[in-house]
């Protein structure tokens, strides 16, 4: 390795640099030249004129493509990553192997930090780097004589090819946000993801057919509504509030929405976000054609009108270092911050987005959070009806009618049971479909639940009326 000493002059370095340009192969020229030029920069004589000197002697030009630009995702970065990922692996020195689901073989992908590419007889070099904040970026290096071709044609070619490949092989993704304490460290970005492969669709959803058709039509109208939203002057987004008891299909509904529209899902964990500023950063880093989900929003954070008062009380209660440390770990996302996220100026930082809230307790939510215009459509997913049961019977048993249906219909009118519980009774037993056995199991479960609910109703009435014998006629006369 060349070291700078007192007996090595800058003229010697220039001679070495010239030799590199003449004798070394292209893929080594850049690395060696950069080292020599950076060494020359350390000479006191050149520090005043380093930029002019480097531009004069180096024949190479760099363009960087960062993954994020001011916290907004750079779609050119994604297209470049897709394009470079398709380059041949037969000459790559570093590979990574993955096994795709339902595949016995391994898929080999290039894992080189550097890649050489050619375009119209010109050679260019790509390198993956990490910037000062820890975010990834691609650096494109080329000879300055190729500047016009690269900037006006090649970069456009790479981005367009990458987008075409992505569209052809498009897979929906399920994202979740990384804790903000990890942003920028160890190459960790705002979101991490896996491929989304949930099989749910509207055809198999166990709910009232009329309600299902209404939701489906609303989603299709939204996805085709670009010009309409532009015309009325609103951001191209829509909010859906899914509420109802556990097991009624709220998560399944979200999966069906994504599969219908071919949208990716961003599962937002509010408790991993420290403040409103971080919430905005996450929003701007999401892509269009996506569903942003906050499940069990009543449990995620305290977003009632009393939040500011509670925060003030907590601050006054801090007395020792342990309490201070505990408070530093709390999330201080406020109701106003969340409202700006879904309906303020920042909500217009992307197009074609759906925001979904789910809750088991509608009454706990602040009315400002779920008013129309923020949550445009309120969808109640309630206990299993006979119409929903028939869909489940078709899904699980390939059954349209049966003599036991009438008894099940009567019991469903008198019993509150979640569709998930009904489905559990209809599933295969020992890998075999037993229609009579499954239906009888369901009838037994309904009768048992009906009895429990009747006892609970009696207990509730006793408690309500001071443990006195409850007489319903007393309420009439």
């Amino acid at each position: 390795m060349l070291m700078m000493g007192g007996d090595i002059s800058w003229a010697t370095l220039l001679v070495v640099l010239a030799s590199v340009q003449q004798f070394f192969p292209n893929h080594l020229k850049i690395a060696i030249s950069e080292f020599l030029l950076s060494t020359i920069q350390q000479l006191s004589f050149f520090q005043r004129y380093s930029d002019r000197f480097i531009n004069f002697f180096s024949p190479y030009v760099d363009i960087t493509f960062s993954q994020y630009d001011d916290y907004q995702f750079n779609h050119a970065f994604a297209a470049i990553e897709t394009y470079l990922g398709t380059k041949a692996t037969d000459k790559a020195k570093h590979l990574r192997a993955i096994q795709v689901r339902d595949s016995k073989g391994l898929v080999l992908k290039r894992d080189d930090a550097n890649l050489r590419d050619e375009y119209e007889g010109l050679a260019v070099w790509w390198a993956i780097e990490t910037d000062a904040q820890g975010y990834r970026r691609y650096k494109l290096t080329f000879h300055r004589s190729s500047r016009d071709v690269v900037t006006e044609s090649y970069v456009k070619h790479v981005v367009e090819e990458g987008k075409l490949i992505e569209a052809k092989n498009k897979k929906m993704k399920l994202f979740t946000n990384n804790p903000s304490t990890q942003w920028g460290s160890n190459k960790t970005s705002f979101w991490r993801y896996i491929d989304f492969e949930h099989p749910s669709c509207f055809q198999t959803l166990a709910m009232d057919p009329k309600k299902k058709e209404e939701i489906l039509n609303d989603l299709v109208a939204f996805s085709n509504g670009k010009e309409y939203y532009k015309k009325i002057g609103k951001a191209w987004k829509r909010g859906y509030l899914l509420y109802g008891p556990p097991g009624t299909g709220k998560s399944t509904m979200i999966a069906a929405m994504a599969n219908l529209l071919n949208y990716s899902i961003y599962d937002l964990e509010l408790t991993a976000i420290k403040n409103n500023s971080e919430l905005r950063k996450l929003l701007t880093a999401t892509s269009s054609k996506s569903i942003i989900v906050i499940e069990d929003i009543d449990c995620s954070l305290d977003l009632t009108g009393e939040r500011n008062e509670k925060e003030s009380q907590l601050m006054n209660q801090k007395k020792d270092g342990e309490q201070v440390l505990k408070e530093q770990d709390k999330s201080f996302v406020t109701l106003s911050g969340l409202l700006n996220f879904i309906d303020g100026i920042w909500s217009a930082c992307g197009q074609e987005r759906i925001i979904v809230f789910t809750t088991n307790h509608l009454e706990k939510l602040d009315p400002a959070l779920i008013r129309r215009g923020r949550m445009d459509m309120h969808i109640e997913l309630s206990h299993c009806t006979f119409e929903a049961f028939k869909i489940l019977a078709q899904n699980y048993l390939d059954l349209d009618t049966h003599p036991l249906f009438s008894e099940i219909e009567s019991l469903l009118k008198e019993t509150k049971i979640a569709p998930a519980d009904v489905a559990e009774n209809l599933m295969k037993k020992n890998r075999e479909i037993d229609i009579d056995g499954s239906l009888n199991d369901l009838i037994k479960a309904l009768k048992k639940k009906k009895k429990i609910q009747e006892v609970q109703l009696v207990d509730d009435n006793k408690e309500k009326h001071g443990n006195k014998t409850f007489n319903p006629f007393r309420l009439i006369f």
Side-chain angles (χ1 to χ4, degrees):
M1 179 181 292
L2 180 64
M3 302 293 295
M4 284 303 302
D7 56 341
I8 299 180
S9 67
W10 64 269
T12 303
L13 285 172
L14 294 181
V15 172
V16 175
L17 181 60
S19 300
V20 167
Q21 298 295 331
Q22 183 176 359
F23 298 110
F24 279 83
N26 285 335
H27 68 280
L28 293 178
K29 285 181 182 178
I30 297 174
I32 297 176
S33 297
E34 285 185 349
F35 170 75
L36 292 173
L37 291 170
S38 64
T39 304
I40 292 175
Q41 268 190 297
Q42 304 307 312
L43 293 173
S44 59
F45 177 78
F46 289 105
Q47 285 179 353
R48 291 178 56 191
Y49 307 99
S50 60
D51 290 341
R52 189 178 301 177
F53 177 83
I54 295 300
N55 289 335
F56 179 79
F57 282 98
S58 176
Y60 299 106
V61 178
D62 294 334
I63 302 177
T64 57
F65 301 84
S66 298
Q67 186 176 14
Y68 292 99
D69 183 16
D70 292 334
Y71 301 109
Q72 188 165 1
F73 185 72
N74 183 359
H75 292 280
F77 178 93
I80 291 168
E81 189 167 48
T82 301
Y83 171 85
L84 296 179
T86 63
K87 307 307 290 182
T89 61
D90 55 344
K91 296 182 180 179
K93 292 184 178 181
H94 302 283
L95 300 170
R96 55 189 172 96
I98 61 172
Q99 187 170 29
V100 182
R101 182 178 296 180
D102 300 326
S103 174
K104 295 182 180 180
L106 293 174
V107 177
L108 296 177
K109 293 188 176 182
R110 181 185 293 272
D111 200 30
D112 283 329
N114 300 287
L115 175 68
R116 182 180 183 276
D117 195 18
E118 290 187 1
Y119 179 76
E120 295 184 356
L122 302 176
V124 298
W125 294 265
W126 289 95
I128 184 70
E129 300 179 337
T130 304
D131 63 19
Q133 286 73 41
Y135 303 133
R136 294 187 303 155
R137 66 183 181 187
Y138 278 104
K139 183 173 76 169
L140 171 62
T141 304
F142 52 92
H143 198 279
R144 60 190 175 196
S145 63
S146 308
R147 179 191 290 269
D148 291 342
V149 176
V150 171
T151 57
E152 296 176 10
S153 181
Y154 174 68
V155 172
K156 182 179 179 182
H157 162 76
V158 170
V159 172
E160 289 180 350
E161 281 292 311
K163 289 181 178 179
L164 286 174
I165 296 169
E166 180 68 24
K168 182 179 179 180
N169 303 322
K170 181 174 176 56
K171 287 186 177 181
M172 292 181 294
K173 296 179 174 60
L174 174 60
F175 294 84
T176 187
N177 51 299
N178 288 307
S180 59
T181 54
Q182 298 179 10
W183 294 354
S185 63
N186 299 321
K187 303 181 182 180
T188 302
S189 58
F190 302 129
W191 299 94
R192 63 183 184 275
Y193 69 86
I194 61 172
D195 290 338
F196 181 70
E197 299 177 344
H198 198 292
S200 176
C201 63
F202 273 87
Q203 183 179 356
T204 59
L205 278 181
M207 64 184 303
D208 179 78
K210 291 184 179 179
K211 183 186 293 186
K212 184 192 299 187
E213 187 70 18
E214 180 185 358
I215 299 168
L216 195 151
N217 290 337
D218 190 79
L219 288 165
V220 172
F222 168 78
S223 66
N224 296 327
K226 181 177 181 179
E227 295 302 321
Y228 174 75
Y229 278 85
K230 183 177 180 181
K231 176 183 176 182
I232 63 176
K234 291 188 63 177
W236 191 10
K237 65 177 183 62
R238 193 155 180 83
Y240 294 86
L241 174 67
L242 310 183
Y243 66 97
T248 52
K250 294 182 285 294
S251 297
T252 305
M253 169 66 77
I254 295 170
M257 288 179 169
N259 285 326
L260 173 71
L261 302 176
N262 200 26
Y263 286 6
S264 289
I265 296 176
Y266 288 85
D267 184 17
L268 181 61
E269 178 53 62
L270 283 178
T271 56
I273 309 170
K274 287 187 175 180
N275 51 50
N276 296 335
S277 176
E278 291 184 355
L279 184 63
R280 288 193 293 269
K281 293 174 184 178
L282 282 170
L283 175 63
T284 55
T286 61
S287 64
S288 298
K289 294 183 180 292
S290 61
I291 301 176
I292 302 172
V293 179
I294 304 178
E295 291 199 271
D296 298 320
I297 189 169
D298 54 295
C299 301
S300 296
L301 291 175
D302 182 5
L303 296 169
T304 66
E306 301 174 352
R307 179 171 173 81
N308 289 336
E309 180 181 349
K310 291 181 179 180
E311 287 179 2
S312 177
Q313 292 175 354
L314 286 171
M315 295 296 289
N316 293 332
Q317 291 173 0
K318 294 180 184 179
K319 293 182 179 179
D320 53 37
E322 183 178 353
Q323 181 69 26
V324 171
L325 181 61
K326 184 176 179 181
E327 291 303 309
Q328 287 175 347
D329 294 334
K330 287 181 64 64
S331 172
F332 287 95
V333 174
T334 64
L335 176 61
S336 62
L338 188 58
L339 295 182
N340 285 329
F341 176 86
I342 61 175
D343 194 37
I345 295 176
W346 286 92
S347 68
C349 294
Q351 294 292 316
E352 201 171 352
R353 285 196 184 103
I354 289 175
I355 299 174
V356 178
F357 291 165
T358 74
T359 181
N360 296 335
H361 305 283
L362 180 63
E363 70 282 357
K364 291 184 178 181
L365 299 183
D366 194 302
L369 187 65
I370 59 176
R371 70 164 175 80
R372 305 291 178 170
R374 287 178 177 143
M375 293 292 103
D376 303 284
M377 195 171 191
H378 293 192
I379 303 172
E380 182 179 10
L381 298 171
S382 190
H383 298 100
C384 190
T385 64
F386 182 64
E387 291 298 323
F389 159 75
K390 289 195 293 184
I391 295 174
L392 290 172
Q394 178 62 44
N395 292 344
Y396 287 88
L397 304 176
D398 295 323
L399 193 63
D400 293 320
T401 185
H402 192 277
L404 292 175
F405 273 20
S406 58
E407 184 177 0
I408 292 173
E409 181 178 11
S410 177
L411 285 167
L412 285 172
K413 289 179 180 179
E414 303 171 344
T415 310
K416 294 179 179 179
I417 186 170
D421 294 330
V422 174
E424 183 62 30
N425 284 280
L426 298 181
M427 290 188 71
K428 290 181 179 180
K429 308 297 189 293
N430 298 322
R431 301 185 180 180
E432 296 291 336
I433 293 179
D434 178 8
I435 292 177
D436 290 341
S438 294
L439 294 179
N440 280 312
D441 285 348
L442 175 60
I443 290 173
K444 291 178 183 178
L446 285 168
K447 288 180 177 179
K448 181 178 180 180
K449 188 169 281 289
K450 178 184 176 182
K451 185 176 181 179
I452 293 173
Q453 290 172 357
E454 287 174 345
V455 172
Q456 184 65 47
L457 179 61
V458 172
D459 291 343
D460 290 345
N461 285 329
K462 285 182 178 180
E463 183 177 349
K464 181 178 179 181
H465 297 279
N467 290 324
K468 297 178 181 180
T469 302
F470 176 62
N471 184 354
F473 295 101
R474 187 184 302 151
L475 301 178
I476 301 176
F477 299 102

